[in-house]
Amino acid sequence: MSNPESELAKAPYVSLATFRRSGEAVRTPVWAAPSAGGLYVFSAGNAGKVKRLRNSSQAALAICDVRGKVLGDWHPANARLLTEAVEIEQALAALRKKYGVQMWLADVGSKLTGKFDKRAYIRIELTGD
């Protein structure tokens, strides 16, 4: 029997589904890094997924490719925006550990464009199938 959390943690990309008020899912490919029984994701602070998560913590995850083509089963989850500096540092550490140079380049580019401090960090926990 497979462990969905482990499979999602190892995948280079996961599709994060967040939900509109109408219940319609909006899917976005993201990087996700494991830490302490959950996954961390980052996004632009003004992205649609962040706005949707402010209205509802309902989410779902599936393994996908860089373009968002889903390659596995969907797994229901709860997601929350991180607000505490300690939690944000944990998220950054997990993302940097998993993505290495790629994350470093994303951080540098984000700092050069002034977007680093406007990022949103998200913690996602699977709720079961």
Side-chain angles (χ1 to χ4, degrees):
M1 187 170 192
S2 65
N3 177 348
E5 188 174 314
S6 176
E7 291 176 10
L8 290 162
K10 292 176 188 173
Y13 295 93
V14 298
S15 183
L16 170 61
T18 53
F19 295 86
R20 293 185 173 145
R21 291 177 199 255
S22 68
E24 179 186 357
V26 180
R27 301 168 179 171
T28 309
V30 294
W31 286 348
S35 181
L39 295 165
Y40 289 117
V41 169
F42 76 99
S43 176
N46 62 353
K49 65 183 146 298
V50 173
K51 293 175 187 175
R52 289 185 291 276
L53 286 173
R54 284 191 181 107
N55 293 317
S56 171
S57 64
Q58 181 186 4
L61 293 174
I63 295 171
C64 71
D65 66 15
V66 67
R67 294 182 183 191
K69 179 182 176 190
V70 173
L71 304 173
D73 296 330
W74 285 97
H75 304 282
N78 281 323
R80 67 179 176 87
L81 299 171
L82 303 181
T83 57
E84 301 294 323
V86 171
E87 290 180 306
I88 291 169
E89 282 303 317
Q90 289 172 341
L92 269 170
L95 287 157
R96 288 172 176 157
K97 179 178 179 183
K98 180 174 178 180
Y99 292 100
V101 172
Q102 289 175 295
M103 189 65 189
W104 180 82
L105 289 170
D107 286 347
V108 169
S110 187
K111 287 177 182 177
L112 289 173
T113 59
K115 296 179 182 176
F116 187 82
D117 292 331
K118 296 176 185 172
R119 280 183 181 170
Y121 295 88
I122 303 163
R123 179 167 173 82
I124 304 166
E125 295 178 0
L126 298 182
T127 58
D129 290 319

